[in-house]
Each structure stands twice: as C-alpha cells, then as structure tokens.
Amino acid sequence: MNEDDLSFLDPSQNQDQTNDQGGNNGQSNNDTSNISNNGSTYNNDTTQSGSSSQEIRKIKEEKSAVNFLDDKGIEDEEEVLRLMKERFAYCQNFFDPIHEKMYLDFDFYKGNQWEEEEMKRRAAMGRPCESFNIINQFVDKMVSQVRQNPPSITVNSSDVSTNKKTTQVISAYLHKLEKDSYAQRAYVRAVHNSSICGLGGIRLNLEYKNNKDFTKTFKIEAITSPFSFYFDPKFDDNLENMEYAFTFEKITLDEFKEQYPDFYEDNELKYQYVMRDSKEDWIEPDTVRIAEYFYKERVSKMLFQLENGTNVFKDDYKKNNMTSKVIRKRKVQVTRVRWIKTNGVDILEQSLFPTSFIPVAPVFGNYLNVDGIISFEGVVRQLIPVQKAFNYIHNKEIEMVSSMAIGKYLVPEGSVEGYEADWNSINTSNKPHIQYKTVNIEGQPQSQPQPITQQYNMDVTSAMLARSVENAKAVTGIYDPALGKENTGEVSGVALMAKQEQSQSLGYKYLDSLSDTLEYVGKAIIDGIAYVIDDNTIVSIVGEDGINTSIVTGK
C-alpha cells in the first residue's frame, strides 16, 4: 500500500472531526524531553530521520483509525439520551448498595469509628469515646507496593507487530505518555482507593498537546473518587466486554449557567419544568449533574482484499481512487466509542473517542461475584471488627487510669452533712484538711469516712490491646517486618524474611489488579495510536548495539 492509499489513516485529517472532548488548553511537556522505558531512551543530540521512521507508517497501517470513518454524528439525540438515562438508572440501582458499604469503609478509615448512639450514651455518662486508628498503616502498606514497584504499560511484539522496532517505538511512546501524564500518581491513587473500599479507577482523556495547533494526545488520569464513576455491570470479569461507562459530578446551577450560557438561555423554560415536575435528579433547583457518557457503536463496513494483499474498506477504496483488483470482500462490524457530555436533558458536547475500548477502567481490591451479586472490599472492611475492639479496650484503659486518680470514700450516714461541698471537691481542691461529724444523729460516736481501695490489673488490658494488634496482622497478613517494625521475638533472619515475603504477597494482589487494568488501558492506547502519533512526534529507541536512534515520525 502506498502513502496515498494510507492518507485516510493520517490523524491530521481527523483532528477537526472531534469536539474539545477532554480538551485541556494547558500545554503539556515538550515532545523532545528525555524518555526511557526498558532500555528505550531519548537523546536530543542524536535525532535522525532514516528508514526506521517508516516503522511509524507501519504502525498507522496496522492500527487504522477506523473510529472516525464516515462519522455523521448522532442521528437520534432523543434515543441516545433515553438509553443513556436508562443505563445510568440501572447503574444507580446496581451500585448504590455497593457504594453504601464503600462509604462506611471510607468513613471508618477517616476515624469515624463509633456508632452514633454509642457516642451519645457515652457522652451522657461522661465516658471516653476516642478512636485510635491502626488501620492507616495497613492501607499505607498496600500503597507502598506501588511506590516501591512502580508499574508501567509494556508492549509485547505479539500485541502490535512482529517487527521488533515497531514494538520498540510504541514502547517509547507509551513511556513518554506515562511520564507526561504523571501516570504514577494516578496509579497510586487508584490503589489507595481500592485498598480502602475495594474500588479505584483510571481513565484515558484527550488533551491538546500545546496551544499552537489542534493536535491532541492521550492522557492517563486518576478517577479521584470511587463514587464518581459507573461502569457496565455486565462486563463479566473482562473489561473488554464493557459496553458503556460514566463519570459524573454535580455542579451548582450558577456554575452550569456560566459554563453553558447558551444552553441555559435557550432551554430555561424546559429546565424549570424539569426542576419542578420531573422525578429525576439530573437538574434540581440548586444543582445540575454533569455526566460524561462513553458507549460503543457498531458500524457495518465492506472490507476489500486487493490482489496485492492489502485490506482496505470499500469507502476508502473509492475515496482514494484505488485501481488494484478486488479479489475478496466481506461485511465487518467496526466498533467505535462515542463520548457525550450531558445534563440528562440535553447533549452539551459530543464526539468520537479515538479507540474502540471504553476509556474508563476500574481497579479492584477484593472483587467478589457470587451469582451475579458483586461486592468490592479493601483492607478496611476486614479490619473493622478488630479496630472496634481496639478502641473499646483502649477507652476502657483510659477509664481505669482516670478512676485510679479519683479517691472514693465509704461515708457513715449523716457524717458529712453540712460539709458536702468540701467532700464533693475533695479530688480537685488543695485544702489541708476536711471536716466530718464525729457523732451521728442519735448522738452516738461514729467512725470517720474510710477511703475505698481500688485495684485494677492493667496487665489484662495491655495484653488485650496487644492481642488486637496481632489480630489485625493476622487478618491482613501484614506483619511487623513489612510495617518497618522490629520483632524481637523472631531472631532468625529466615523467619523475618518469611514474614516480610508473606506480607508482600498480599500487597502484590493489589498490584496485580492494577497491572490487569493497565493491560486494558494499554490496549486502548495502542488501538488509537494512529490518531495520537502525528508526523512530528519524536521517539527514540536503543538498539541491541547500544546506539540511540531517534525517529521523527512521518519523515
């Protein structure tokens, strides 16, 4: 296939077919910054344009930007909105019970570890109600695995091409993308959330590369809140099966008017009706829900195979005035992803997203699917009973210590009559003496008030506290060596290493879950790479001979 035949794959021809979806007017890092990935580095002093640049052409051939072929926009906006709201409502009903438990996990993690009624009861009785949070260190251990073993998106030759250099070029691009996106921060945030409540998230976005042209590139971003996105519940343990996903937020009505003044002015009466009469919660008197909705479209295409072995769509065969003989043809279904931004009443923005994968990906903690009932759990859910016991014992110890400082007396009836104020303040005043009546009401001598001896065994509560901490370690599988603490009970280096390896294996579970998500994200990026690698992107690879070869794409 010659270059003219491939012109429809040139992303520069597709730039005007998208709105500012995910657009970011800020300028990203310069394309010529140094990058490295598994031996792939960039050296600004060795830029060359040789035959190796044809590898980028090969990438464009193999990863055709079929997403943008013959896009006629949304033909039936009402139907798209109807289906969108139906899917959103389905997700709400599906995820709300899951989110309720996740909210409790987050609340507990933040330190709200007592039931409200128990707090009121203790306050009324003057009893302590403190939280001594031991959960944070276990969550931090999960996150530290990502920081100590930072993951990245890697490419195998079988994923993209049998040509080794093509694979190296794509690997260099992916590493630069992660660097420019500060992707490690997104990965840490995703694991942090999944270790707390069992669910985190990562998304792909599009942004302008700079303020000088209309070229866009991918950006890897964190979904900061696990409660701000939905994904297709019917994904059947395979993210590639997702048909749709949402990210959403609520903004004030004034913010909506400022961001979309034309929409509000043109539809003010309709919005007021929705606020007043609709049972939906998209537009309310003070707030508006704004959702990004990604969904898959299927487009039928006729695929030709030419006598020279080239495969090309019928539309492009005609558009490019090809003359090679067609030897085979068949109908195929092309999958592409459309993005809309909506307030539930209108489509505010829309475009095609340059990949056939839904660009919203969950990162799981403990993911359970029992007969279609899904639940997400992190470290916190497992530690809640242990933490409650720890708090109760610690507060009991506080009560015991405070009680030891208060002197109590056994007082004969009537012996302190008239001196009540002095006796009531006996534990707070510094009076050198205090009076009592030596005779009772019958005139008979009576004994003086006697102090009550209080005995508390603090060793019991200390042992119970220590047992609670050990229970936390047993529940999570994280022991002292992994928490950075010395354990004098295990003098053997082999024993210490075994405990540390056991602790790390639990952290790797969360790291493995992140790696599975990154594999999906990597596939999505490679699927749309023909759109984001333009003719001025600089990447560099290091050959087996150790020599840097930098490639200016398209030259």
Side-chain angles (χ1 to χ4, degrees):
M1 182 180 291
N2 60 41
E3 182 172 341
D4 290 336
D5 295 338
L6 286 172
S7 61
F8 74 98
L9 299 179
D10 189 344
S12 63
Q13 297 187 22
N14 296 321
Q15 291 165 1
D16 293 335
Q17 298 184 39
T18 62
N19 292 330
D20 291 348
Q21 189 281 125
N24 187 332
N25 291 329
Q27 184 161 343
S28 62
N29 293 348
N30 192 296
D31 287 338
T32 59
S33 59
N34 293 337
I35 62 175
S36 64
N37 183 42
N38 298 329
S40 299
T41 61
Y42 174 73
N43 185 330
N44 198 25
D45 296 328
T46 61
T47 302
Q48 304 172 11
S49 59
S51 59
S52 56
S53 67
Q54 297 305 314
E55 297 304 323
I56 299 300
R57 292 293 183 187
K58 185 174 180 61
I59 293 172
K60 292 184 179 183
E61 291 179 28
E62 296 176 350
K63 300 298 171 187
S64 170
V66 295
N67 313 69
F68 294 93
L69 296 180
D70 304 325
D71 179 33
K72 298 177 182 177
I74 299 175
E75 296 182 0
D76 190 342
E77 291 194 0
E78 290 186 4
E79 174 59 23
V80 169
L81 284 172
R82 183 201 66 78
L83 180 59
M84 182 278 298
K85 289 193 286 187
E86 179 181 297
R87 285 174 165 176
F88 193 89
Y90 177 79
C91 286
Q92 280 183 309
N93 293 332
F94 183 88
F95 282 103
D96 279 357
I98 299 173
H99 281 178
E100 286 180 9
K101 295 180 179 179
M102 290 167 56
Y103 272 118
L104 293 176
D105 293 341
F106 257 97
D107 206 39
F108 200 87
Y109 171 76
K110 291 188 296 183
N112 298 321
Q113 298 175 351
W114 291 88
E115 300 291 340
E116 187 174 352
E117 291 301 320
E118 177 67 10
M119 292 178 64
K120 291 179 179 179
R121 187 179 70 84
R122 283 176 168 264
M125 298 172 63
R127 299 183 64 189
C129 191
E130 303 295 331
S131 296
F132 302 89
N133 203 332
I134 62 173
I135 290 179
N136 291 349
Q137 59 184 321
F138 295 94
V139 172
D140 291 343
K141 173 58 185 174
M142 302 297 121
V143 177
S144 70
Q145 290 290 340
V146 182
R147 292 194 172 101
Q148 294 172 5
N149 304 282
S152 61
I153 301 172
T154 58
V155 179
N156 296 320
S157 295
S158 58
D159 294 332
V160 292
S161 172
T162 58
N163 186 292
K164 183 177 180 179
K165 189 167 290 185
T166 302
T167 302
Q168 290 176 320
V169 169
I170 294 180
S171 294
Y173 169 78
L174 288 173
H175 179 75
K176 187 176 191 304
L177 171 62
E178 288 184 307
K179 179 175 178 287
D180 292 347
S181 300
Y182 301 99
Q184 291 300 326
R185 298 179 185 177
Y187 303 159
V188 168
R189 170 59 63 184
V191 172
H192 183 259
N193 287 340
S194 66
S195 62
I196 294 174
C197 66
L199 181 65
I202 296 171
R203 65 169 294 177
L204 273 182
N205 210 337
L206 280 177
E207 68 172 12
Y208 290 108
K209 295 180 69 174
N210 52 55
N211 293 327
K212 299 177 181 179
D213 56 37
F214 294 90
T215 304
K216 290 185 177 181
T217 187
F218 285 127
K219 185 178 182 181
I220 300 172
E221 296 179 343
I223 299 177
T224 55
S225 170
F227 308 104
S228 65
F229 77 106
Y230 292 143
F231 55 93
D232 186 357
K234 300 178 181 179
F235 72 104
D236 194 27
D237 297 348
N238 185 349
L239 297 181
E240 294 183 36
N241 292 335
M242 288 192 298
E243 289 291 316
Y244 61 90
F246 296 91
T247 65
F248 50 89
E249 64 174 345
K250 282 198 171 183
I251 62 176
T252 66
L253 185 60
D254 290 337
E255 288 175 328
F256 177 75
K257 292 178 182 178
E258 182 179 352
Q259 294 178 25
Y260 300 97
D262 294 338
F263 271 97
Y264 188 82
E265 292 175 3
D266 295 342
N267 301 279
E268 185 173 359
L269 292 178
K270 180 172 63 174
Y271 290 163
Q272 289 178 353
Y273 168 79
V274 172
M275 294 177 199
R276 184 179 67 251
D277 299 327
S278 177
K279 297 180 180 179
E280 300 173 352
D281 58 351
W282 284 87
I283 299 180
E284 298 177 316
D286 298 320
T287 61
V288 178
R289 177 190 289 124
I290 301 296
E292 292 183 85
Y293 171 45
F294 300 90
Y295 64 97
K296 288 181 178 178
E297 295 179 338
R298 268 81 182 187
V299 180
S300 293
K301 292 287 182 181
M302 181 64 70
L303 182 66
F304 287 170
Q305 186 178 68
L306 308 183
E307 61 181 352
N308 62 3
T310 299
N311 297 319
V312 65
F313 288 110
K314 177 182 177 180
D315 297 338
D316 304 299
Y317 182 85
K318 293 181 176 180
K319 182 176 69 175
N320 293 292
N321 299 317
M322 295 182 179
T323 58
S324 297
K325 182 179 179 181
V326 177
I327 58 174
R328 298 175 68 186
K329 63 180 180 180
R330 69 184 181 95
K331 282 188 176 182
V332 296
Q333 290 286 323
V334 175
T335 300
R336 59 189 187 183
V337 171
R338 188 170 295 277
W339 166 86
I340 69 170
K341 181 176 280 191
T342 178
N343 59 4
V345 178
D346 290 306
I347 295 177
L348 307 174
E349 302 175 56
Q350 70 87 22
S351 73
L352 287 174
F353 198 87
T355 177
S356 58
F357 293 76
I358 298 296
V360 175
V363 178
F364 300 115
N366 290 321
Y367 166 76
L368 302 174
N369 186 344
V370 181
D371 297 329
I373 300 176
I374 294 177
S375 65
F376 311 124
E377 294 181 6
V379 177
V380 172
R381 187 94 45 95
Q382 300 170 334
L383 287 175
I384 285 177
V386 177
Q387 178 68 64
K388 285 184 175 180
F390 187 86
N391 288 339
Y392 179 83
I393 298 168
H394 225 311
N395 279 272
K396 184 64 177 177
E397 191 173 57
I398 292 173
E399 288 183 282
M400 292 169 61
V401 172
S402 61
S403 296
M404 292 172 63
I406 298 175
K408 295 183 179 180
Y409 289 80
L410 188 63
V411 179
E413 183 179 6
S415 64
V416 297
E417 184 176 351
Y419 306 111
E420 289 89 350
D422 292 339
W423 282 92
N424 287 336
S425 62
I426 192 171
N427 290 300
T428 58
S429 69
N430 292 318
K431 290 184 177 181
H433 65 273
I434 192 168
Q435 294 179 305
Y436 73 97
K437 292 183 177 181
T438 58
V439 296
N440 58 23
I441 56 177
E442 296 177 352
Q444 300 295 324
Q446 61 182 0
S447 61
Q448 68 182 24
Q450 300 293 323
I452 301 174
T453 302
Q454 304 178 69
Q455 294 182 348
Y456 294 106
N457 190 347
M458 300 299 293
D459 292 340
V460 174
T461 56
S462 297
M464 292 179 68
L465 286 173
R467 176 54 63 92
S468 295
V469 174
E470 291 303 313
N471 288 342
K473 298 172 186 175
V475 167
T476 60
I478 301 176
Y479 295 94
D480 284 342
L483 295 172
K485 300 178 181 178
E486 295 184 0
N487 189 338
T488 56
E490 291 176 348
V491 296
S492 168
V494 175
L496 290 173
M497 290 180 64
K499 289 288 188 182
Q500 192 164 11
E501 289 177 1
Q502 182 179 355
S503 303
Q504 288 176 344
S505 65
L506 181 72
Y508 286 145
K509 176 175 66 175
Y510 289 83
L511 192 60
D512 288 344
S513 177
L514 174 61
S515 297
D516 291 340
T517 300
L518 294 188
E519 180 181 353
Y520 173 82
V521 173
K523 289 180 179 179
I525 293 171
I526 293 172
D527 188 65
I529 203 167
Y531 175 75
V532 296
I533 289 189
D534 61 18
D535 288 345
N536 295 303
T537 300
I538 299 178
V539 295
S540 181
I541 60 175
V542 176
E544 295 180 355
D545 54 4
I547 298 177
N548 293 346
T549 304
S550 298
I551 303 169
V552 181
T553 62
K555 292 186 179 181

